[in-house]
Amino acid sequence: MSFPELAGQLAEVGLQFYQRGWALGTSGNFSAVVNRDPLRLAITSSGVDKATIAVGDIVEIDDRGKVVAGSGRPSAEASIHLAIVQARRTGAVLHTHSIWSTILSDAATGDGLALEGYEMLKGLDGVGTHEHREWLPILENTQDWAAAAPRIEAMLSRQPNAHGFLIRRHGLYTWGRNLAEAKRHVEALEFLFEVMGRKET
Amino acid sequence: MSFPELAGQLAEVGLQFYQRGWALGTSGNFSAVVNRDPLRLAITSSGVDKATIAVGDIVEIDDRGKVVAGSGRPSAEASIHLAIVQARRTGAVLHTHSIWSTILSDAATGDGLALEGYEMLKGLDGVGTHEHREWLPILENTQDWAAAAPRIEAMLSRQPNAHGFLIRRHGLYTWGRNLAEAKRHVEALEFLFEVMGRKET
Amino acid sequence: MSFPELAGQLAEVGLQFYQRGWALGTSGNFSAVVNRDPLRLAITSSGVDKATIAVGDIVEIDDRGKVVAGSGRPSAEASIHLAIVQARRTGAVLHTHSIWSTILSDAATGDGLALEGYEMLKGLDGVGTHEHREWLPILENTQDWAAAAPRIEAMLSRQPNAHGFLIRRHGLYTWGRNLAEAKRHVEALEFLFEVMGRKET
Amino acid sequence: MSFPELAGQLAEVGLQFYQRGWALGTSGNFSAVVNRDPLRLAITSSGVDKATIAVGDIVEIDDRGKVVAGSGRPSAEASIHLAIVQARRTGAVLHTHSIWSTILSDAATGDGLALEGYEMLKGLDGVGTHEHREWLPILENTQDWAAAAPRIEAMLSRQPNAHGFLIRRHGLYTWGRNLAEAKRHVEALEFLFEVMGRKET
């Protein structure tokens, strides 16, 4: 799919997540692979308000984060997107910043969150039964994601089966072969976060 | 009503439930009787994302689950729909997968959930007073609903007055003489789940 | 205002409350005074699904509940609306059936609910400061509101300053000089119910 | 930007906040600077129902609160808006009246609320890291904001870094260089209130 088409779809996803309260203000960022080799990624610009996100708020970057089309700086978390796309060979990466992912990532005492025994887990690619244990690693938050890229790569390598991960008090990263699958992963995981969060209160 | 008309109405219900958060991702499935004898059921295809559900995502099946119109596989839970339609002679069956039905079906220690003394119970067909006790059986979850059909049929036979049932950590099944009545049952029951769930937390 | 105009406005309010989850299924009913002398009231028909409420779902009744325009039976709770309109000389009466009014009316141990010290109380007609104590009587639920009319009249007479009342496990009644004021009262009271309910959990 | 343009944008923000439940009934009020010298402020009229707010519900006032364009009385809280605009030289001031700001402003035992360590804090102007401690002062509620203006000015002067403040059991005031920034501040702070509120229950 072309960069303009993917940019339109990313903007649409952004508006929908904004409506649900999963990307208020400038929070959240979203990307999709335009080309594999050489790698070209459509990604939300830095500081874009998701209430009014539009096609012009998406830029195209290369594998080093350099803008090759569109205007604006790529999201400060572009290096996370690039690390995921290279480690998992996915087609889209979505980062939401919801109430429940913020609360659960904060409350979890260990270095991850387990989701187990729920039918909704079947919303995750390759999971065919509720008898599945999904382990979502939790990374500590930072403001220097370029420096943290090796930490993310190591985690993705250690956890080859994880469908996503949390950043402490910051939210969720998940991905999929295409944008529709990544969006389905967001919905399944956010649903499970809300179930877990409401159970514990 | 014709298959295309019912398919359109099922898709519309799916979108509305998606908006309310009762059928996120590919969760939830919905059916309506096209013809009684021989039995023909319009039902959501397997794996359809409810965010974008449309007429083409509904297939028509016979009483053994074989597709006779439309393209796609019927939902993996088609045998539950067929069991209900045959046991109750209803016109529509709706399965939602909400936060509160997931939580309550998990928290209930016995094999069912009682709803009693609420005005909203009058939203259920044939219930004329709040002084009613609705007993919703809870079934254990499985991934082989074809094999579980006898278990569902036995439960429906043992509980002739139940307007629905829960599947553990999976959600609600309810039905009605037509799609509007089944939808009203979903709304009344989901309302009561939320009341019960919030009271207990 | 004419009956058709008021019917249109009542249907619109019904749809909005349905969207907020304050009138799911067939719950909730709404009325507005068409004429004072002789009394003519536009009121929602019995059993109308608020998801699809339209002008044709509103009937016009006289002071004894007899339908004088439109087709359908008036709501089973028409006698409550008539009692309020006659005791308070209001222009509109709205009954919502929300999660929080259901929970609070159930949890309150006495015969009423006090709301005190909140700025939102100024949303109620004639209240000019947050230093106000609103006492909402709670009536026990029944299915024979015609027989209960004297009980409602006595309560309205004893509580001349109340802007509404609750029915146990059933919801809220409030009113206003016109439909806009009654709707504002619903919003102010439902807001305060949610604040009170969330504080207590 | 001209008064009519700003009035249209303020009405639009009002409708959006109404939809989210942050400005139910007549609660909430909003302003934007039309001109700096002499000061001219576009501000919501007193008693406007946010469900139906439109351009005609916005008036233009001078630095003493006198209406210079449009019809209607300015909000009773105009003196708060004027105090903020003069102390901070901001372009827009937004006051929301949400469930969670009401609960948190009531529950806080001291004279303020601390928000610390959350990524969402970066939604606030000038905050570049989650390692930030935002202190929101809490003022006691009153019905005489003209008399309270010195109290507000003193607080704004004592807390030069605060991006907003709470009024007890009444809601949030925040501001920004323009309306978009002020709205982003509302979203970031309301998000954090909900996280804090849900954690504590």
Side-chain angles (χ1 to χ4, degrees), chain B residues 16 20 22 116-120 122-123 128-130 180 183-184 187 190-191 194-195 198-199 201, chain C residues 18-19 21 24-27 49 51 77 97-100 102-103 106 141-143 169-170 198 201:
Chain B
Q16 289 178 23
R20 286 216 189 258
W22 294 344
E116 185 169 9
Y118 291 100
E119 179 73 10
M120 188 59 89
K122 287 170 61 189
T129 171
H130 61 289
K183 179 163 177 277
R184 198 184 76 218
E187 293 183 2
E190 291 287 356
F191 174 93
E194 188 169 342
V195 166
R198 289 191 183 278
K199 274 176 62 178
T201 56
Chain C
Y18 172 79
Q19 288 300 328
L24 290 177
T26 55
S27 76
D49 197 318
E77 296 171 26
H97 194 132
S98 70
I99 300 283
W100 292 108
T102 302
I103 291 174
D106 193 17
N141 200 9
T142 177
Q143 296 307 321
R169 293 182 163 197
H170 182 152
R198 289 191 184 277
T201 55

